[in-house]
């Protein structure tokens, strides 16, 4: 019974982790310039946000820290590294409301496969092995998307799309200048409905429109129709920190992402095969048996 409870808790933690990944790896903006703390003197707040949104394709890798609350799941903390080419992700996450035994998890996405590690607590349930390899189970993962295909969909997303939401805001404003992790930044804030954001895409090219449309889907699934956004832009016009808040069907979303670096090498290695349970093989063996 205890094993079943712990396993169910870890599945819940994996769901939280994938939600965190979807939200966190979608909150970067980047543009170029040498002006003061993320704003040209001649730019209005809306123009500064639009300029950042226009230059979101330059990011090839990033590292970030995330804290906040996920609807239904509760409080989370995470730190992650992500590479877009090749696609790879490493994330260590704590679901603070899941309990000490099951709330900590490490995810790795590498070579098209998703791995989840739960440390010593997981090893007690898996004959001493610390990792589960999910493989290509997305088609069997149901609505949770908790398989490699679901993870790959998140990794393939350009990690800048949510920051472009502010381009649809009708009330974006400059709040002031603030230091974030010792870096001087310009703080912007605005509210935007998903319909307003979608309407703002009508003049974009097809590829941009499709990419940004995808970023809407996770919010629609959660039942969020309006978000409040804060963005802190550093002197190089990178987003140093980002906060998104909204009312979902199953509770509040309130996530803050702090970006630690951009475009630096990211290496993600698969866990040792001898320390890994291959879930696809286990299911296949069970079916054959």
């Amino acid at each position: 019974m205890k094993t079943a409870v712990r396993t169910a808790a870890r599945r819940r933690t994996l769901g939280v982790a994938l939600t965190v990944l979807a939200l966190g790896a979608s909150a970067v903006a980047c543009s170029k310039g040498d002006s003061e703390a993320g704003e040209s003197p001649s730019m209005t707040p809306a123009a500064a946000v639009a300029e950042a949104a226009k230059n979101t394709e330059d990011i090839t890798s990033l590292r970030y820290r995330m804290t906040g609350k996920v609807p239904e799941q509760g409080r989370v903390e995470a730190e992650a590294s992500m590479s877009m080419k090749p696609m790879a992700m490493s994330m260590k996450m704590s679901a603070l409301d899941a309990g000490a035994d099951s709330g900590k998890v490490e995810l790795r996405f590498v070579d098209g496969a998703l791995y989840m590690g739960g440390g010593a607590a997981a090893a007690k349930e898996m004959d001493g092995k610390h990792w589960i390899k999910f493989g290509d189970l997305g088609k069997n993962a149901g609505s949770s998307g908790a398989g490699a295909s679901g993870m790959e969909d998140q990794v393939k997303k350009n990690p800048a799309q949510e920051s472009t939401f502010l381009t649809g805001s009708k009330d974006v404003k400059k709040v002031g200048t603030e230091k974030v992790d010792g870096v001087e930044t310009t703080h912007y804030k605005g509210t935007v409905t998903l319909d307003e954001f979608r309407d703002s895409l009508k003049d974009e090219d097809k590829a941009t429109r499709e990419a940004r449309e995808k970023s809407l889907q996770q919010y629609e699934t959660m039942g969020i129709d309006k978000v409040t956004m804060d963005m802190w832009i550093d002197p190089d016009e990178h987003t140093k920190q980002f906060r998104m808040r909204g009312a979902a069907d199953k509770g509040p979303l309130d996530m803050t992402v702090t970006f630690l670096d951009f475009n630096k090498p990211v290496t993600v290695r698969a866990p040792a095969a001898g320390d890994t349970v291959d879930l696809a093989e286990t299911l296949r063996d069970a079916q054959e048996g």
Side-chain angles (χ1 to χ4, degrees), residues 243-256:
R243 185 181 184 189
M244 179 175 282
R245 289 168 286 166
D249 290 339
K250 296 182 179 180
L253 167 71
D254 187 348
M255 298 300 299
T256 297

Side-chain angles (χ1 to χ4, degrees), residues 39-246:
E39 181 183 37
S40 166
S42 62
M43 278 191 179
T44 65
V49 169
E51 183 68 16
K54 188 173 69 174
N55 293 282
T56 57
E57 302 300 326
D58 296 335
I59 300 169
T60 59
S61 65
L62 58 95
R63 189 165 60 93
Y64 63 88
R65 181 172 62 241
M66 174 182 288
T67 61
K69 182 178 288 187
V70 177
E72 190 179 22
Q73 310 292 359
R75 297 171 300 141
V76 297
E77 294 178 347
E79 186 163 328
S81 298
M82 179 180 180
S83 168
M84 274 61 80
K85 293 182 179 181
M87 288 181 290
M89 165 66 73
S90 174
M91 179 173 71
K92 293 183 179 180
M93 192 208 75
S94 295
L96 302 180
D97 297 324
D101 285 343
S102 56
K104 294 183 182 295
V105 66
E106 181 175 356
L107 295 179
R108 296 182 191 177
F109 182 86
V110 59
D111 297 331
L114 169 65
Y115 299 85
M116 184 175 90
K124 292 179 182 178
E125 302 172 20
M126 300 189 300
D127 297 326
K129 296 183 179 181
H130 295 80
W131 292 86
I132 299 174
K133 179 182 179 181
F134 285 83
D136 189 12
L137 299 179
K139 60 181 179 297
N140 299 319
S143 60
S144 69
S149 294
M151 173 67 87
E152 188 171 2
D153 287 343
Q154 300 302 338
V155 174
K156 281 182 177 178
K157 288 172 55 178
N158 183 292
Q161 299 307 323
E162 263 71 356
S163 65
T164 67
F165 275 34
L166 268 181
T167 59
S169 174
K170 301 182 185 304
D171 62 0
V172 62
K173 63 183 180 180
K174 176 181 175 179
V175 178
T177 57
E178 301 171 21
K179 282 192 175 181
V180 177
D181 275 359
V183 177
E184 193 72 33
T185 68
T186 301
H187 180 184
Y188 298 96
K189 184 174 184 177
T191 59
V192 60
T193 68
L194 301 194
D195 286 342
E196 286 172 340
F197 178 61
R198 183 173 279 114
D199 185 62
S200 73
L201 302 178
K202 62 180 182 295
D203 294 327
E204 300 289 350
D205 61 77
K206 181 179 179 181
T208 299
R209 205 165 50 243
E210 289 178 351
R212 296 183 184 178
E213 278 276 0
K214 286 183 179 179
S215 66
L216 290 169
Q217 295 172 2
Q218 66 200 46
Y219 297 95
E220 291 175 330
T221 298
M222 287 189 286
I224 294 174
D225 58 12
K226 180 180 180 179
V227 294
T228 298
M229 300 179 62
D230 293 80
M231 184 189 304
W232 290 261
I233 300 178
D234 69 15
D236 294 326
E237 297 192 8
H238 291 97
T239 297
K240 177 62 179 175
Q241 187 165 275
F242 183 91
R243 185 181 184 189
M244 179 175 282
R245 289 168 286 166

